[in-house]
Amino acid sequence: MNLHDWIDELCDVLDLETEVDEGLLTDLAELTHDKVDAHAGPVTAYLLGYAAGGRGAGPVTIERLAGKAQELAESWDRPADAPDPDDIDDPIPEDTTIDHTVDLEGDDDDDDDSDSDSDETQDAGDTK
């Protein structure tokens, strides 16, 4: 089975009525694999298909979209192992509005009322 047969069978399984320019997709996938990241090829092909499908694009529009992706890939200058800017740890600003005091005695004034209420309820239940 060759790639064209695979595409025909896959389109049948996915219930797609479309024509695929496998040369365009494989060239774009190979370029992005080489210039961007090893996994960029299939992701790029998927996103190109998603963009084309969302627009109901014909062959001319698909070629234009692929050309934009190709231009981006050819100008890509970030190494594949460069950190994602969203994943870089930013310094956490100091928040001086938080009370950092610790009650070493266990005497938390806010909880005294609720603790004594529950103790009284338990004592009252024990006498019955």
Side-chain angles (χ1 to χ4, degrees):
M1 179 181 284
N2 63 31
L3 181 57
H4 188 75
D5 292 339
W6 164 252
I7 292 168
D8 286 344
E9 293 291 325
L10 183 59
C11 285
D12 288 345
V13 167
L14 299 176
D15 196 26
L16 292 172
E17 292 292 326
T18 187
E19 292 297 317
V20 176
D21 184 344
E22 63 261 22
L24 179 125
L25 288 177
T26 55
D27 289 348
L28 183 59
E30 185 177 320
L31 174 68
T32 56
H33 172 276
D34 294 343
K35 297 281 287 178
V36 180
D37 184 85
H39 303 290
V43 172
T44 302
Y46 168 79
L47 291 173
L48 176 62
Y50 192 84
R55 291 175 172 85
V60 172
T61 303
I62 293 170
E63 285 185 26
R64 184 179 54 80
L65 293 170
K68 288 182 176 187
Q70 180 179 351
E71 287 175 16
L72 178 62
E74 288 174 343
S75 67
W76 197 255
D77 62 351
R78 297 176 211 154
D81 60 350
D84 184 341
D86 293 335
D87 292 340
I88 295 175
D89 292 331
D90 294 330
I92 299 172
E94 185 177 331
D95 189 354
T96 56
T97 62
I98 296 175
D99 182 13
H100 294 287
T101 59
V102 177
D103 183 6
L104 297 176
E105 299 291 331
D107 299 321
D108 189 7
D109 293 337
D110 293 339
D111 292 334
D112 282 346
D113 294 337
S114 63
D115 289 340
S116 62
D117 290 344
S118 63
D119 290 341
E120 289 172 12
T121 306
Q122 284 179 342
D123 290 342
D126 290 340
T127 58
K128 289 184 181 180

